[in-house]
Amino acid sequence: MIKVPPLPPLTENEKKMNISKYYMQVEIPDPVVFQLMDYGPADPADMLSPENYKDAIILEGYHKIVSGWCMLPDGTGTYTEYQRHHPGGRVTPEMMQWWHMWVNVLPKSSKPGEGNLKYKLWMPHDHYEHSFVNGHDRSDGTYSLEKLDAGGLVPGLASKAIGSVRHNLKPQDLGFSDEYVAELAAKGCSISAAYETFDIPGAHFVFGFTRPHPLGGTESFSREWIGWRPLLDGSGKLVRDDYPCDADYLKAILIHNALEHAHLPRFLPELYAEYKDKPMDAD
């Protein structure tokens, strides 16, 4: 039985903030997910190479691997993650849009060195800081400070917190035409993309595709290539930007993501109802 370690303690000041009532123990979301990850790395031949990342867009059927990771022959790494968003779920797109803005604004009572309690709510064992790079919006990226070992849940991974900046991209930045994006939207599909830079050299490229699920709701396929970044010249090409990576690191990302994606819906609807009409820095 996999058990997540106890919650990291909050400071006395953080405990006084009203939002601290949403600080709760992370639970193991789905044993099947963890069994798949324990199975081991995928065959690189069954994963998409960075040069073929646009092949992640498929309107029907599934790739051979929808949740898994592996090192690639060139020494870089990749993983893919699947999420099903059930119809009638408690979390709405409006909630998620609000959350990804709200989490960047420090609670007004925060003290220097405490980090961002809002971000800690999302993944208490790994999250520390989250903010707009320019202090007011996402146009220059969002900064985060986090680690990836789920409080020691990932064996063999000595993880330390590393700062990163996420730079969101429009599909057009990668060479997709307005017409193609509109065609996808008409079918209920969408593309998401970003690249991440770090306090250490190197970059990650992130690409996601969401489409209607045959039984209702939507499903998302997220992929990341470690050690690559886009050219940003409209060509859609990626170039190497090496980042330290091994199989333990890739597995840790998947476990971290599985935990945080399952944890957020546990408290977001209630948090949203209470805070959506309050000042962004309310605590």
Side-chain angles (χ1 to χ4, degrees):
M1 176 67 178
I2 301 172
K3 295 183 68 175
V4 178
L7 277 172
L10 297 178
T11 68
E12 291 303 313
N13 181 56
E14 288 174 322
K15 292 176 184 177
K16 295 176 184 177
M17 298 183 198
N18 182 58
I19 58 173
S20 67
K21 66 187 178 187
Y22 297 104
Y23 188 75
M24 63 184 71
Q25 178 66 32
V26 174
E27 297 178 353
I28 299 299
D30 185 344
V32 175
V33 171
F34 281 81
Q35 286 174 3
L36 284 171
M37 288 188 282
D38 283 339
Y39 183 75
D43 184 335
D46 296 329
M47 299 285 276
L48 291 183
S49 67
E51 294 84 2
N52 296 321
Y53 73 87
K54 291 184 179 181
D55 289 346
I57 300 174
I58 53 173
L59 298 181
E60 58 184 27
Y62 297 88
H63 289 98
K64 187 170 183 179
I65 304 293
V66 296
S67 186
W69 82 98
C70 71
M71 294 296 292
L72 298 172
D74 62 8
T76 63
T78 186
Y79 73 86
T80 178
E81 181 186 12
Y82 175 83
Q83 290 186 75
R84 168 83 193 278
H85 311 285
H86 291 269
R90 296 175 67 232
V91 174
T92 65
E94 291 75 21
M95 290 180 195
M96 293 300 297
Q97 184 176 15
W98 173 85
W99 165 262
H100 285 295
M101 297 297 289
W102 184 80
V103 74
N104 290 287
V105 181
L106 271 178
K108 63 184 177 182
S109 299
S110 298
K111 293 184 177 180
E114 282 185 327
N116 184 341
L117 178 54
K118 294 178 178 181
Y119 191 44
K120 295 177 185 180
L121 300 181
W122 192 1
M123 182 56 182
H125 298 87
D126 289 352
H127 286 179
Y128 300 102
E129 299 177 16
H130 209 283
S131 61
F132 296 123
V133 169
N134 61 20
H136 57 84
D137 64 29
R138 290 186 291 189
S139 59
D140 293 316
T142 53
Y143 173 81
S144 64
L145 181 66
E146 65 179 345
K147 59 188 184 69
L148 294 170
D149 67 357
L153 183 63
V154 184
L157 183 74
S159 179
K160 66 177 182 179
I162 294 179
S164 66
V165 176
R166 181 182 178 92
H167 311 266
N168 286 329
L169 301 170
K170 301 188 299 294
Q172 291 83 349
D173 296 329
L174 299 173
F176 294 101
S177 68
D178 293 342
E179 293 76 15
Y180 182 69
V181 173
E183 288 175 10
L184 288 178
K187 297 174 181 176
C189 303
S190 62
I191 296 168
S192 62
Y195 69 98
E196 298 170 341
T197 53
F198 299 83
D199 290 343
I200 61 176
H204 297 185
F205 175 65
V206 186
F207 189 79
F209 178 64
T210 298
R211 69 184 189 185
H213 189 278
L215 300 179
T218 61
E219 54 188 351
S220 297
F221 308 87
S222 301
R223 294 178 182 267
E224 189 164 342
W225 288 270
I226 313 302
W228 294 86
R229 71 159 73 216
L231 280 177
L232 301 181
D233 60 357
S235 68
K237 293 182 178 179
L238 306 184
V239 293
R240 285 284 290 269
D241 193 354
D242 288 346
Y243 184 91
C245 182
D246 59 22
D248 284 339
Y249 177 75
L250 295 167
K251 182 177 180 179
I253 295 176
L254 265 181
I255 291 177
H256 172 97
N257 288 356
L259 289 170
E260 71 175 14
H261 290 155
H263 185 58
L264 185 60
R266 294 176 61 206
F267 64 86
L268 181 56
E270 289 74 23
L271 175 73
Y272 177 75
E274 182 175 0
Y275 278 89
K276 64 182 177 66
D277 296 321
K278 292 183 179 181
M280 292 289 279
D281 65 349
D283 53 30

